[in-house]
Amino acid sequence: MRKEFSGGQPYWIWSSEQSHTKPLEQSPSHYEVRRFRRSFTLDQTEGLNLNVAVSADSRYKLFINGIVVGRSVGKGDVQRQFYETYDLTNYLRRGTNILSALVLDFSPVTCHPPELGAPCSIISHSGGFILDGAIQDRAGNCLQDLGTDSRWKISIDTSMYFHNRGCPHGGFVGYFEELHVAHAPEKWTEPDFNDSDWHTATQLYPATRLEDYRDAPSPYGLTKTLIPPMKESAPRPFTDIFLPGGAEAPANWKNWLNGQSVTIERNSSIEIMLDAGALQSGFPMLGISGGKNSQITIMYAEGLRLPWSVEDANILGRGLDTSNITCMSSGSEKAGWTLDRRGSLAGWYDEIHPDGRDFIYEPFHWRTFQFVKLTVKTADTPVTLQPLVYRFASYPFEPLYNFQCSARFFEQLNKISWRTFQLCTHETFEDCPYYEQMQYSGDSQITSLLALAATGDARLTKQALYQFSWSLRAEGITECRFPATLPVVIPSWSLHYIFMIADFFDYTGDMETVRDLLPCIRSILDWFDRHKDESGLPAKLPHWNTVDWSPRWDRGQPPGWERGPTCIISSQYLHALRVAAKLEKAAGRKNLYAEEADTIAQKINTLFWNEERGLYEDCPGGPDASQYGNAWAIHAGVATPEKAGRAITAIFENKELDPASFFGIYFMVRALEDAEQYHRFPELLGRWQEMIDGGFSTWAEDIVYWRSLCHAWSAFPTIEFLRGVLGVKPGKPGFEEIVIQPQPLDLQYANGSVPTLKGKVSVEWKIENNEFKLSVNAPAGIPLRIILPSGKTEVTKQGKITLTEKI
């Protein structure tokens, strides 16, 4: 195949108003929607191939001969516009063929939470579509150039409207759909469709690859996507059906759930509730026949809501004041999350207006749901529905690990953690799939490490690392989420970004990428250095100083952040200095940060340690103190062993300490590991047991459960099972040395395997008759450093080894 977009053969195309001429016609939607077609004829297909490269501003769906073959994958930032490649050879046919695309342009609409708007995670310039491709013979000769230009046809869509009605708890995901089928051209992606009344596409800009960008007349620097397409399953059925309020569904609707069609008579209405059995992300599909002038809505929700006054219900958490956590009304003081059928459902929804024809509805973008409420209101004609199904969709991570142990609770944790992780990974790492679909660097530190440890797939991590570097501001600090149209800085999150780079290097040994990112690391640390006060620590930092969602704090910000330095951010800065020093050394650079780190550690001990209380206070002079602050002082290496022991005692026993949320608990576990008290890790898992008891299939966002029921940072238990219980970690970058340091906790046995760059590492251990027996099967020839529970260390290059010690 020729090099994609080389020589500027194709053009970005759109309708004529994009080139500042008179509009062809008016679109009724908030977003601008366009349909594109390009026909070509083949006398025969043997020996021919067709490979295409495709991009769009803002999103596309690609077809050939009526078959969907691709969707937008990469989220770039316009300057770096991702494109995807497809081999369409097997779809070619003799006679007329048709390439077609449906493109949504979000640029006319701004992101406006809590009222939705455009998706915040998609950065747009203006509407545009581009395709590079040609029919070629076996020798690579171009027989027909199919690149986008004025030979393509275009139609302005008037069937797709968009709305934000029913918006719960705010969000950043963008408007939901309102489809008026009567205005949608039928079979427009197929070769025999008559497009004679379609317009000629307008050429906007020539294709320009990012590496060829000079003084180009295009806003887009085209670059090949760094990640594979999402994995989509075959259609799946829902598992349960009932009426709102929990009553049994009528027999005909139960039959519908099991595969039969159902007809809703004219001038009638019905509401039906569907349960997928677990939280899903994917594309719902509904076959519809008849029903002209009917209205059908598909409403999506993670869970149901019940008032706290319903005493016999299993409701997650308890009614608490959430005003410190959210700046919008959540209703959490009156109702909580439940899977109880009696609960009510509120959420975003898609709306369909049939015109009497047979068609299958599928939204352009994937949806998140466990529960769906289907509402049907017919007019003068009945409507017949095929069963509602969905195709699960997520990033194609494969769980290349396995883990079993003697505690059923741990195995439940592992199963739900993997599902939470899976639902928070699509085109980027995501904080949550329902409300935001945003990639935050703090959240991603945890999600990325889970990806590296459990799958060995570093592609989404590598993309995230580059994306955050693209967000670097002129003042020298990265944004907390990216890609994003609403810019926000969380200083602490820029430090977590540095930690994520270090984890990536440990697991991959990819020094080329690290060298690319070192200037960004230096800029961040310089920003913190420039914001020190007379104490010599970063203080009164601008922007949003959130560090963890403790319910006692104002929007996650630790007490005293606006007055001076804080123990948490100072300790994170110290840890970042030490991490950066290691990366600089690995890159062969002068050690820039180690000496400063030692000075910072002394200052933290002086300012924040309270000897009488035996803990670190959040700000100089106290009295505020938190679990998270003490965890970070230990994890950053500030505390002596004696102080660390006392601080750990305070974390578990001092009820005055502000509690950590799920994100913060991860770093409490790191503190336990650093203080050699990892055996206490299970004591921190009470909230996870609460969610299991509630029947939930994913982990919630925060400990008051006010909003998201699926949040990536809460999935870290799987990290602990692989790196802790089984004990498999990189001893040197890229697993040039493999460390195996199992932590028995209170278990009787554990076994499993972990992927590494050098191959799979299998670990099995058990405790019998006061004896710890460990068996390891690892790639031969790679140095293994095995650390037994007693601390005894064995170094070997044997692939298989068994060790035993008395306990």
Side-chain angles (χ1 to χ4, degrees):
M1 179 185 176
R2 65 185 186 182
K3 187 177 181 181
E4 300 98 356
F5 303 113
S6 60
Q9 293 95 340
Y11 282 81
W12 287 89
I13 58 174
W14 200 250
S15 44
S16 62
E17 78 280 1
Q18 202 70 321
S19 58
H20 307 291
T21 61
K22 183 179 178 180
L24 297 174
E25 55 197 83
Q26 294 297 315
S27 168
S29 66
H30 296 85
Y31 306 148
E32 294 296 314
V33 184
R34 301 291 184 268
R35 301 175 191 267
F36 295 89
R37 283 172 53 90
R38 170 72 156 88
S39 64
F40 58 99
T41 302
L42 298 176
D43 295 332
Q44 52 85 30
T45 60
E46 185 177 354
L48 304 182
N49 66 71
L50 173 59
N51 291 276
V52 299
V54 186
S55 188
D57 188 349
S58 307
R59 305 264 85 184
Y60 71 81
K61 185 188 292 188
L62 181 69
F63 307 81
I64 183 168
N65 297 327
I67 300 170
V68 179
V69 290
R71 305 174 189 271
S72 304
V73 175
K75 295 180 180 180
D77 64 351
V78 178
Q79 298 174 63
R80 303 161 191 87
Q81 179 73 23
F82 286 124
Y83 66 85
E84 294 80 37
T85 58
Y86 304 95
D87 184 351
L88 305 183
T89 302
N90 291 336
Y91 298 95
L92 297 175
R93 60 173 68 166
R94 290 181 62 186
T96 302
N97 291 256
I98 189 77
L99 281 169
S100 53
L102 179 68
V103 179
L104 273 65
D105 167 27
F106 300 135
S107 65
V109 185
T110 60
C111 179
H112 185 56
E115 298 176 5
L116 296 184
C120 191
S121 64
I122 298 175
I123 300 175
S124 299
H125 172 73
S126 61
F129 173 65
I130 191 166
L131 179 146
D132 187 16
I135 301 295
Q136 295 177 307
D137 61 20
R138 287 194 178 101
N141 298 310
C142 177
L143 305 181
Q144 288 194 57
D145 185 2
L146 301 176
T148 44
D149 56 19
S150 58
R151 291 172 294 177
W152 281 68
K153 293 288 196 75
I154 185 171
S155 173
I156 296 181
D157 177 80
T158 58
S159 68
M160 296 179 71
Y161 296 58
F162 299 88
H163 71 90
N164 63 355
R165 298 185 293 274
C167 178
H169 308 336
F172 296 82
V173 295
Y175 288 127
F176 278 63
E177 294 183 12
E178 180 181 329
L179 177 65
H180 294 260
V181 180
H183 299 288
E186 192 170 6
K187 298 182 179 180
W188 67 276
T189 63
E190 298 183 6
D192 56 359
F193 175 81
N194 184 355
D195 60 11
S196 60
D197 61 344
W198 283 35
H199 301 279
T200 298
T202 298
Q203 296 180 175
L204 300 179
Y205 327 105
T208 308
R209 294 172 63 90
L210 180 63
E211 60 265 37
D212 300 328
Y213 205 93
R214 304 293 184 268
D215 186 18
S218 170
Y220 306 106
L222 288 160
T223 184
K224 191 170 184 178
T225 182
L226 299 172
I227 60 173
M230 286 195 299
K231 185 177 182 179
E232 299 180 19
S233 74
R236 298 177 178 178
F238 284 77
T239 60
D240 196 11
I241 188 168
F242 54 97
L243 294 176
E248 291 294 319
N252 61 331
W253 283 97
K254 289 185 177 180
N255 292 335
W256 178 72
L257 182 70
N258 293 321
Q260 298 182 22
S261 63
V262 66
T263 298
I264 299 92
E265 297 302 325
R266 66 188 184 93
N267 298 319
S268 61
S269 64
I270 190 168
E271 288 186 343
I272 286 289
M273 304 282 282
L274 292 158
D275 183 356
L279 195 65
Q280 312 289 341
S281 66
F283 296 91
M285 302 167 63
L286 180 64
I288 303 172
S289 301
K292 184 177 182 180
N293 297 325
S294 297
Q295 178 178 307
I296 302 170
T297 62
I298 308 173
M299 181 177 286
Y300 314 98
E302 294 179 296
L304 305 177
R305 306 281 282 186
L306 268 179
W308 296 108
S309 57
V310 182
E311 295 181 356
D312 64 335
N314 190 345
I315 306 175
L316 185 60
R318 58 205 58 79
L320 295 172
D321 179 6
T322 61
S323 59
N324 280 355
I325 292 180
T326 174
C327 57
M328 60 194 75
S329 174
S330 69
S332 297
E333 296 83 357
K334 298 179 181 179
W337 291 111
T338 186
L339 304 183
D340 191 308
R341 278 183 169 194
R342 293 171 293 175
S344 62
L345 185 152
W348 293 309
Y349 61 89
D350 294 313
E351 183 173 300
I352 311 150
H353 296 264
D355 70 342
R357 76 177 79 163
D358 295 351
F359 73 101
I360 297 175
Y361 174 75
E362 176 186 287
F364 190 90
H365 188 62
W366 53 269
R367 305 302 190 209
T368 303
F369 54 87
Q370 174 168 343
F371 294 94
V372 164
K373 181 165 70 174
L374 180 70
T375 303
V376 183
K377 297 178 181 178
T378 60
D380 294 335
T381 59
V383 64
T384 298
L385 305 180
Q386 300 302 317
L388 180 66
V389 294
Y390 63 92
R391 289 180 294 109
F392 184 85
S394 69
Y395 182 90
F397 278 123
E398 294 294 335
L400 298 184
Y401 77 99
N402 64 74
F403 172 76
Q404 297 84 34
C405 69
S406 58
R408 181 174 179 271
F409 173 47
F410 277 16
E411 294 186 345
Q412 288 175 303
L413 285 171
N414 177 48
K415 178 181 178 181
I416 298 174
S417 293
W418 174 260
R419 184 169 196 84
T420 303
F421 163 77
Q422 192 176 29
L423 266 66
C424 293
T425 55
H426 290 86
E427 295 173 70
T428 63
F429 293 119
E430 295 158 350
D431 61 332
C432 62
Y434 187 88
Y435 293 98
E436 298 193 26
Q437 299 172 14
M438 300 282 286
Q439 181 171 253
Y440 288 82
S441 49
D443 308 48
S444 296
Q445 183 198 347
I446 293 175
T447 324
S448 166
L449 183 56
L450 201 162
L452 295 168
T455 76
D457 186 342
R459 290 173 290 182
L460 203 61
T461 295
K462 185 173 181 177
Q463 175 185 263
L465 296 179
Y466 278 110
Q467 285 172 324
F468 285 118
S469 74
W470 302 340
S471 78
L472 189 69
R473 291 186 167 196
E475 65 182 284
I477 195 167
T478 54
E479 294 179 10
C480 67
R481 59 191 187 205
F482 200 81
T485 58
L486 293 180
V488 177
V489 168
I490 299 176
S492 177
W493 262 221
S494 292
L495 300 176
H496 284 286
Y497 170 58
I498 296 175
F499 309 149
M500 183 164 60
I501 296 172
D503 290 337
F504 170 80
F505 182 58
D506 281 345
Y507 273 81
T508 68
D510 182 354
M511 178 50 68
E512 180 181 358
T513 297
V514 171
R515 287 183 188 277
D516 286 346
L517 301 174
L518 279 173
C520 189
I521 293 174
R522 296 176 193 134
S523 180
I524 293 167
L525 294 177
D526 178 69
W527 185 91
F528 277 88
D529 182 68
R530 288 184 283 111
H531 284 84
K532 293 175 180 175
D533 68 0
E534 61 277 3
S535 70
L537 299 176
K540 294 185 286 188
L541 301 178
H543 305 295
W544 184 19
N545 276 253
T546 187
V547 293
D548 183 35
W549 286 106
S550 177
R552 298 180 190 174
W553 294 350
D554 176 21
R555 299 277 292 154
Q557 300 176 113
W561 71 269
E562 75 283 14
R563 300 191 303 270
T566 67
C567 180
I568 295 169
I569 294 178
S570 297
S571 297
Q572 291 174 335
Y573 173 57
L574 165 62
H575 190 57
L577 289 170
R578 288 178 169 157
V579 164
K582 291 180 180 179
L583 293 174
E584 294 277 10
K585 182 178 180 181
R589 302 294 184 91
K590 182 180 179 181
N591 193 330
L592 303 175
Y593 303 113
E595 185 176 340
E596 181 185 1
D598 292 340
T599 302
I600 295 293
Q602 295 173 9
K603 293 178 182 295
I604 293 172
N605 262 318
T606 300
L607 278 180
F608 301 107
W609 176 255
N610 186 311
E611 177 65 23
E612 183 178 348
R613 299 175 71 186
L615 51 75
Y616 290 90
E617 295 173 327
D618 285 330
C619 49
D624 297 286
S626 64
Q627 292 179 325
Y628 193 56
N630 280 272
W632 258 107
I634 297 169
H635 183 46
V638 172
T640 62
E642 187 269 337
K643 287 180 179 176
R646 295 178 67 189
I648 292 291
T649 299
I651 285 174
F652 282 99
E653 298 180 7
N654 190 331
K655 303 305 179 185
E656 294 181 355
L657 266 61
D658 293 337
S661 192
F662 294 123
F663 179 69
I665 291 173
Y666 171 76
F667 293 97
M668 290 170 64
V669 178
R670 300 283 65 77
L672 292 177
E673 185 176 37
D674 295 327
E676 299 185 354
Q677 296 196 40
Y678 191 81
H679 64 280
R680 302 196 68 174
F681 154 54
E683 297 178 47
L684 301 175
L685 298 175
R687 297 282 187 177
W688 282 263
Q689 182 66 64
E690 188 174 44
M691 289 181 278
I692 290 173
D693 293 342
F696 291 90
S697 60
T698 53
W699 305 129
E701 177 177 5
D702 59 78
I703 60 176
V704 299
Y705 310 115
W706 81 270
R707 195 177 69 158
S708 173
L709 291 177
C710 184
H711 211 85
W713 62 33
S714 303
F716 72 79
T718 290
I719 297 174
E720 305 311 319
F721 301 144
L722 303 184
R723 290 173 55 93
V725 177
L726 296 181
V728 181
K729 294 175 279 193
K732 293 181 180 178
F735 287 97
E736 292 298 329
E737 178 190 67
I738 299 172
V739 169
I740 300 173
Q741 186 178 9
Q743 302 276 0
L745 306 177
D746 291 326
L747 302 172
Q748 295 305 305
Y749 70 84
N751 62 75
S753 61
V754 180
T756 78
L757 276 183
K758 304 301 182 182
K760 183 173 69 174
V761 176
S762 297
V763 174
E764 181 177 3
W765 60 259
K766 60 182 178 180
I767 297 174
E768 287 182 339
N769 302 320
N770 297 322
E771 191 174 70
F772 179 86
K773 183 177 181 180
L774 171 68
S775 297
V776 175
N777 189 350
I782 305 299
L784 300 180
R785 180 155 49 93
I786 302 172
I787 305 172
L788 296 173
S790 66
K792 180 183 176 182
T793 300
E794 180 88 13
V795 178
T796 180
K797 289 189 177 182
Q798 297 180 41
K800 295 182 179 180
I801 186 170
T802 298
L803 299 173
T804 303
E805 70 175 9
K806 293 291 184 181
I807 58 173

